[in-house]
Amino acid sequence: MSRKILIVDDDLKTRTLLKAYLERNQYDVRLAPDGETFLSEFERYKDELSLVILDVMLPDTDGFALCQTVRKNSNVPIIMLTASSDETDRIVGLELGADDYIAKPYNPRELLARIKAIHRRTGIETGSGTGRYYRFVGFTLDTVERNLMSPDGDVVKLTGLDFQLLKMFLEHPGQILDRSQLAEETRGRDAGPLDRSLDVQVSRLRQRLEDDGKHPNLIKTVRGAGYVLSAEVTISHV
């Protein structure tokens, strides 16, 4: 798996220190000081990237706009850097397709831990005893190519977070999964009682599956308990 990361941040000192720190941990890091440079570098390296890191505040645009552009063209995982403690920024980023967020100022070790967690969750697993294909209500999830095929034969775009969340539901059909389980599996940390990020992620996955958010038939909310996938799932290697 590629370990190439593209980072956009307008602060030269931050970029330089972050590049040096991540390269000491065996990552290939590309930097951009603004949105225009980032888009140019993204177009050049998008097939090689394993992750992009977007600062929300930039001189010529913002990280949200870049997140939208990236997500329209790629399923590469995205981490957002935000100087705001406002939960709204985090939710907006997740709704636009980001996989994680971290508030400034941050410890580089925490960012590294988030990067490693995303790479563990989105990397292709080898030596697994489970099958490659998960089939449910006409959909087929290919866990090697990380593609979801709709009942009509169309490819449904999934972010890394969408994929991990869906795979967890498919591995536990009919079981109630509580919020802590889902948050720990998909984001590597617990969801606090006021953290609505997980609910945003589930809502986004329902949209991908064309599951009615108000009256869902596939991923159902169990009040006070969590969520449950209400579907029969078959697993196979072919």
Side-chain angles (χ1 to χ4, degrees), residues 29-76:
V29 180
R30 304 293 168 173
L31 299 175
D34 53 48
E36 182 179 1
T37 306
F38 170 84
L39 291 175
S40 176
E41 292 291 278
F42 174 74
E43 188 60 33
R44 179 180 179 185
Y45 294 110
K46 66 180 179 182
D47 293 332
E48 304 172 35
L49 294 172
S50 65
L51 184 75
V52 298
I53 299 175
L54 308 176
D55 189 9
V56 170
M57 301 297 294
L58 295 168
D60 57 344
T61 184
D62 61 63
F64 299 128
L66 295 180
C67 183
Q68 282 185 298
T69 301
V70 169
R71 195 48 76 224
K72 287 178 181 177
N73 294 277
S74 172
N75 288 332
V76 64

Side-chain angles (χ1 to χ4, degrees), residues 19 21 27 45 58 61 78-79 96 102 135 151 171 205:
K19 178 179 172 67
Y21 181 75
Y27 288 95
Y45 294 110
L58 295 168
T61 184
I78 299 170
I79 293 179
L96 293 175
I102 187 168
R135 294 182 172 88
E171 289 173 341
L205 182 57

Side-chain angles (χ1 to χ4, degrees), residues 1-5 7 16-29 50-51 53 107-117 119-120:
M1 175 180 174
S2 170
R3 291 167 62 88
K4 190 186 295 291
I5 299 174
I7 302 171
T16 303
L17 291 174
L18 196 52
K19 178 179 172 67
Y21 181 75
L22 293 178
E23 286 183 341
R24 287 200 302 271
N25 286 275
Q26 288 75 55
Y27 288 95
D28 180 3
V29 180
S50 65
L51 184 75
I53 299 175
N107 187 315
R109 290 179 63 186
E110 181 183 1
L111 180 59
L112 178 62
R114 301 285 184 88
I115 291 169
K116 289 181 176 180
H119 280 164
R120 283 196 302 270

